[in-house]
Amino acid sequence: MTEQVESLIRKDYSAGFHTNIESDTLKPGLDEDVVRFISAKKEEPEWMLEWRLKAFRAWQEMEEPTWAHVHYPTINFQALSYYSAPKSMADKPKSLAEVDPELLDMYAKLGIPLHEQEALAGVAVDAVIDSVSVVTTYRAKLEEAGVIFCPISEAIKRFPELVKKYLGTVVPQKDNFYAALNSAVFSDGSFVYIPKGTRCPMELSTYFRINEMNTGQFERTLIVADEGSYVSYLEGCTAPMRDENQLHAAVVELVALDDAQIKYSTVQNWYPGDKEGKGGIYNFVTKRGICHRNARISWTQVETGSAITWKYPSCILKGDNSVGEFYSVALTNNFQQADTGTKMIHIGKNTRSTIVAKGISAGRSQSAYRGLVRINAGAEGARNYTQCDSLLIGDRCGAHTFPYIESKNSSAQIEHEATTSKVSDDQLFLCQQRGLDAEKAVSMIVNGFCREVFKELPMEFAVEAGKLLEVSLEGSVG
Amino acid sequence: MLEIHNLNARVEGADILRNLSLSIKPGEVHAIMGPNGAGKSTLGNVLSGRPGYEVTSGEVLFNGKNLLELEIEERAREGLFLAFQYPVEIPGVTNMEFLKASVDARRKHLGMSDLSSFDFMKLARETSKKVSLDPAFLKRGVNEGFSGGEKKRNEIMQMMLLEPNLCILDETDSGLDIDALQVVAAGVNAMRDGKRSFIVVTHYQRLLDYIVPDFVHVLAAGRIVKTGGKDLALELEARGYAWLEDEGA
Ligand SMILES: Nc1ncnc2c1ncn2[C@@H]1O[C@H](COP(=O)(O)OP(=O)(O)OP(=O)(O)O)[C@@H](O)[C@H]1O
Ligand SMILES: [Mg+2]
């Protein structure tokens, strides 16, 4: 009978086309020369090259982590290319009118409007294809408010003091294997700076797209919210369907200074591989934010793509009264594997954190929640609430929960709740007996399960996320 | 309305319904009684198309259509409603959202346009009051944390909103207190309009004091062994089922 449920969740990947854009791609392999090449290509200052080389040397000494609940063949890091850029970007376009129409077409196919006049009202978009930022919209309007939103490669040149001050302060070069790799070879990403007391006048958004074959993508995002400021940032990701696995190892650093607030939302829809488990993106991502006094960082993520997801958006609650939040939906289907969760490190007094993680597993997929709550000795009155729910669709998938709690302060309050449930044949039958078709029923049940997380997403994204789940669960009714 | 001819059905390899025949005309209320395990719930499940219930032979016409050829949801949209003996919970999906989707599906099938959210909410609130459920239940997950009696009243509320042609109530009375029993009965009676038909499965003749049936059938070992009027229920209450088996033998 579960066959019926399973036939409902066969997945069609709608973003899986490849665009023929001529690109400059570096031959596979990684050594110091490659790092120097990337830095030179970006016309970076000397300090940046040194920073990268330090990371590269550290990386060479490091071992790939194996503790996650995921299985994949060893990655040959020498078989990947570490730089690819659309050729037409060689002379970077100054405005949308100069952008290669093929590129604009590709974004249109993805439903991401780059033309400012058509763009979602109030959303500024930075589009990153392969490793290069192709266009950032609404820049003038943002600059009026003093907000900086530009490719990080540009920020390194235009705002070196800001970048130098914060880059690597939340995720150090040596933090972990993938972060070190990223630090050595990152080619682009977004940089955001919100000045003191400023509420960013619109949602900021970055769309990442991997297009080339055999290239790794390593973006680096740095967001600094100065004292008393607010920003909401959205990130979306897609890739073509390919039989080979592709590596994506990004680093995101958030800095929320005193009284600042950062809301970071992700809809991750990298290509998950086909029904037999062939191809798909390996998504090894390090995301972390630091909260100063009274600051708040909220991570909200909807993860439906990638063959493997390894990702733990975290908060360092350094300042007193700071708040960290993590709301997550991770859906795996077919042969996808996800090991995701968060870390909340309570350092300041009266720091609070909330974790709501929803895992949905279908097909033969495996999904794991891994979360750390650490209360340091000085974190008087710290509080954490964790809720971790798994929903199984069919009976060949798995869900696992690995909570780690370390408390060195007896005044801390930590609550943990976990549930596992199934989309049962009885639920499905009830819906159908009331006139709903099976597909609608499953998507309704899954959406109901995710409700608490979806309500944290900005409006535009909440709708998109709901649709994405529907597509991810779509299939013929057996 | 419903014509069942020589229906045979099996579950998990066991023959449960054996040459069952039953004819229900518009507006009629048929009560079905019978010992545990006789196949009463199986009949409701087979008619509504529940997976796992295999029809081996026989024919069922519903409003002139071959019911057994239709998908589960098509049967529902055609106006066949099953009030469950054990309603399941669907956490996170609000009752309101669930009801609106079902009512929209039924209306669409009938060529009617969707009700606006506003109109639907109004209708749903009024209906919930009719079954003495606080409208706050509309905002809760479907049956999520409802008491046994609340679940049954929720089933009746769904039935009232969907306005089916044939309602099958599977032991809707079991587990209800006296007040709730009257609420459910009043709900059913309010829906009796001379056209809508009912199959009421029950173990207790008490329900039939409130919902007065046109026919009472005894289902035993997968077939209807005796049919009578309301009085048969009283006789069953007094004598049990054993004498029927003797009679049949
Ligand atoms: N899904 C199923 N799997 C296995 N056996 C089943 C299933 N459904 C029904 N049966 C069997 O079929 C027979 C008839 O069951 P059914 O539920 O129809 O009885 P009933 O008349 O409704 O009984 P009760 O008065 O106890 O509700 C029983 O022996 C039951 O065990
Ligand atoms: Mg029964």
Side-chain angles (χ1 to χ4, degrees):
Chain A
M1 236 176 285
T2 47
E3 248 173 59
Q4 193 202 0
V5 177
E6 287 190 4
S7 68
L8 292 170
I9 45 164
R10 273 182 224 132
K11 195 165 189 173
D12 281 325
Y13 188 72
S14 63
F17 56 87
H18 165 254
T19 309
N20 284 317
I21 299 166
E22 259 198 282
S23 41
D24 246 347
T25 303
L26 194 63
K27 67 171 180 15
L30 181 55
D31 55 21
E32 282 205 13
D33 287 344
V34 169
V35 176
R36 285 176 200 283
F37 171 89
I38 294 169
S39 185
K41 201 78 183 166
K42 298 277 167 192
E43 299 162 351
E44 284 175 355
E46 189 59 28
W47 63 267
M48 194 64 236
L49 174 62
E50 285 310 317
W51 196 91
R52 286 176 182 275
L53 288 172
K54 196 174 142 207
F56 178 72
R57 287 168 198 146
W59 179 74
Q60 282 181 305
E61 307 291 311
M62 294 169 96
E63 302 254 340
E64 219 178 320
T66 52
W67 44 262
H69 195 84
V70 294
H71 303 278
Y72 55 94
T74 317
I75 299 173
N76 179 357
F77 289 90
Q78 295 303 333
L80 295 173
S81 163
Y82 288 84
Y83 184 81
S84 171
K87 265 210 174 115
S88 57
M89 290 293 123
D91 298 301
K92 197 159 164 55
K94 307 278 175 301
S95 73
L96 269 176
E98 290 175 35
V99 174
D100 184 342
E102 284 258 8
L103 268 179
L104 291 179
D105 256 16
M106 181 183 86
Y107 280 97
K109 262 194 229 171
L110 291 170
I112 305 157
L114 290 180
H115 288 283
E116 295 189 20
Q117 63 274 24
E118 298 164 7
L120 289 166
V123 181
V125 180
D126 185 20
V128 177
I129 176 170
D130 290 331
S131 303
V132 174
S133 167
V134 287
V135 68
T136 310
T137 62
Y138 281 112
R139 286 172 72 161
K141 179 151 185 218
L142 289 168
E143 270 167 33
E144 252 171 58
V147 170
I148 302 170
F149 178 37
C150 70
I152 198 159
S153 55
E154 187 184 321
I156 290 166
K157 285 180 271 184
R158 281 181 59 203
F159 312 101
E161 293 316 312
L162 271 177
V163 176
K164 235 194 252 182
K165 184 165 174 193
Y166 293 107
L167 188 72
T169 58
V170 193
V171 180
Q173 287 127 301
K174 295 183 201 172
D175 188 79
N176 68 69
F177 183 82
Y178 301 108
L181 179 62
N182 173 287
S183 301
V185 302
F186 76 88
S187 33
D188 225 330
S190 301
F191 174 76
V192 175
Y193 173 78
I194 316 289
K196 267 186 198 163
T198 302
R199 194 181 166 89
C200 185
M202 56 181 69
E203 303 271 356
L204 303 183
S205 162
T206 299
Y207 272 88
F208 294 105
R209 172 83 181 166
I210 299 179
N211 201 45
E212 275 306 300
M213 206 171 346
N214 296 330
T215 57
Q217 181 151 334
F218 307 93
E219 333 86 30
R220 182 120 201 157
T221 299
L222 173 60
I223 299 179
V224 180
D226 213 327
E227 291 171 17
S229 68
Y230 168 87
V231 62
S232 167
Y233 182 91
L234 325 171
E235 166 194 71
C237 336
T238 57
M241 297 199 234
R242 296 193 185 285
D243 287 347
E244 303 78 27
N245 294 108
Q246 288 175 287
L247 177 65
H248 174 254
V251 171
V252 175
E253 295 180 278
L254 308 184
V255 179
L257 296 177
D258 292 357
D259 304 300
Q261 188 181 344
I262 302 175
K263 219 175 134 57
Y264 194 104
S265 313
T266 303
V267 173
Q268 185 266 107
N269 186 26
W270 296 120
Y271 179 52
D274 69 9
K275 292 176 181 69
E276 274 72 52
K278 202 162 180 213
I281 303 288
Y282 289 167
N283 193 32
F284 300 114
V285 173
T286 305
K287 290 181 164 171
R288 194 175 303 149
I290 188 161
C291 284
H292 292 266
R293 229 162 18 91
N294 301 326
R296 173 192 288 253
I297 289 178
S298 312
W299 298 102
T300 305
Q301 58 173 26
V302 176
E303 306 274 321
T304 59
S306 297
I308 295 177
T309 299
W310 179 98
K311 160 176 186 195
Y312 315 90
S314 306
C315 297
I316 300 170
L317 303 171
K318 180 167 176 245
D320 292 350
N321 309 316
S322 60
V323 178
E325 294 171 317
F326 175 73
Y327 300 99
S328 167
V329 165
L331 183 149
T332 52
N333 196 357
N334 297 318
F335 286 86
Q336 280 177 276
Q337 308 174 59
D339 192 300
T340 183
T342 185
K343 290 183 211 166
M344 294 290 175
I345 312 295
H346 292 254
I347 300 170
K349 293 190 179 57
N350 298 317
T351 45
R352 278 173 293 145
S353 62
T354 302
I355 299 170
V356 178
K358 304 270 182 180
I360 303 146
S361 321
R364 293 163 180 270
S365 67
Q366 294 290 330
S367 118
Y369 166 80
R370 189 181 300 277
L372 168 68
V373 176
R374 177 183 295 154
I375 314 278
N376 283 10
E380 274 300 307
R383 274 184 295 162
N384 162 267
Y385 172 74
T386 300
Q387 181 192 331
C388 183
D389 301 319
S390 311
L391 182 69
L392 303 175
I393 305 179
D395 52 13
R396 289 180 301 171
C397 51
H400 316 270
T401 307
F402 305 100
Y404 305 90
I405 297 169
E406 300 168 8
S407 180
K408 298 204 178 79
N409 186 308
S410 57
S411 71
Q413 290 176 37
I414 301 171
E415 271 180 80
H416 182 95
E417 284 177 26
T419 66
T420 300
S421 52
K422 288 188 77 153
V423 173
S424 70
D425 294 329
D426 289 350
Q427 289 173 328
L428 208 53
F429 179 61
L430 167 62
C431 294
Q432 288 177 281
Q433 211 303 304
R434 298 300 184 255
L436 308 179
D437 60 54
E439 261 176 36
K440 168 90 186 158
V442 169
S443 105
M444 196 176 207
I445 294 167
V446 171
N447 269 287
F449 176 75
C450 301
R451 181 175 308 278
E452 285 158 281
V453 173
F454 283 178
K455 73 176 183 358
E456 297 298 327
L457 287 171
M459 269 291 273
E460 302 87 338
F461 254 30
V463 175
E464 193 175 325
K467 277 196 221 145
L468 191 58
L469 279 197
E470 207 151 325
V471 171
S472 300
L473 293 164
E474 202 166 76
S476 53
V477 180
Chain B
M1 167 78 55
L2 185 74
E3 295 287 339
I4 306 175
H5 295 296
N6 295 327
L7 185 63
N8 286 278
R10 55 168 57 174
V11 186
E12 305 270 330
D15 294 315
I16 308 294
L17 299 184
R18 302 155 196 253
N19 282 327
L20 187 142
S21 296
L22 181 64
S23 168
I24 297 178
K25 297 199 176 56
E28 290 178 350
V29 175
H30 291 240
I32 296 187
M33 306 182 80
N36 293 135
K40 302 179 299 295
S41 295
T42 301
L43 177 62
N45 287 329
V46 167
L47 292 177
S48 53
R50 189 171 198 141
Y53 291 77
E54 184 199 351
V55 174
T56 48
S57 68
E59 189 188 37
V60 181
L61 291 177
F62 179 49
N63 290 331
K65 290 193 177 134
N66 183 350
L67 184 75
L68 301 177
E69 273 182 357
L70 301 179
E71 297 291 338
I72 307 167
E73 59 270 25
E74 290 169 339
R75 301 180 193 199
R77 293 172 195 161
E78 277 287 324
L80 185 146
F81 181 93
L82 175 65
F84 290 90
Q85 184 172 357
Y86 306 108
V88 293
E89 305 192 0
I90 312 183
V93 176
T94 65
N95 233 343
M96 184 69 93
E97 166 187 23
F98 178 71
L99 290 169
K100 172 108 169 58
S102 356
V103 169
D104 284 348
R106 169 111 166 101
R107 289 177 64 94
K108 189 172 173 203
H109 182 76
L110 297 175
M112 296 155 81
S113 59
D114 287 2
L115 283 177
S116 72
S117 297
F118 181 83
D119 289 342
F120 182 79
M121 267 155 71
K122 199 162 155 250
L123 180 67
R125 275 199 212 102
E126 285 164 7
T127 312
S128 71
K129 284 181 199 146
K130 283 187 194 156
V131 294
S132 302
L133 267 187
D134 189 308
F137 277 84
L138 293 165
K139 291 193 196 126
R140 289 174 49 180
V142 177
N143 294 324
E144 195 179 352
F146 289 23
S147 76
E150 287 161 353
K151 283 182 184 169
K152 296 295 179 75
R153 276 180 278 163
N154 201 26
E155 295 288 291
I156 299 300
M157 174 167 73
Q158 292 171 27
M159 179 173 86
M160 291 175 131
L161 281 165
L162 285 165
E163 305 187 343
N165 303 320
L166 174 66
C167 309
I168 305 170
L169 285 82
D170 192 357
E171 293 196 31
T172 304
D173 55 332
S174 45
L176 291 186
D177 63 37
I178 307 286
D179 292 341
L181 186 70
Q182 289 186 358
V183 164
V184 165
V188 170
N189 288 330
M191 289 184 75
R192 290 177 76 167
D193 60 357
K195 289 189 228 104
R196 185 171 291 123
S197 310
F198 294 84
I199 296 176
V200 181
V201 175
T202 182
H203 285 295
Y204 307 105
Q205 102 84 21
R206 190 183 56 189
L207 177 71
L208 305 180
D209 286 340
Y210 299 108
I211 303 173
V212 181
D214 299 299
F215 299 94
V216 174
H217 308 279
V218 178
L219 202 161
R223 66 165 71 89
I224 289 176
V225 295
K226 189 159 185 78
T227 294
K230 183 177 173 299
D231 296 343
L232 178 57
L234 288 169
E235 194 172 356
L236 291 170
E237 184 119 304
R239 299 178 64 188
Y241 295 111
W243 61 281
L244 287 170
E245 275 162 40
D246 299 341
E247 235 177 41

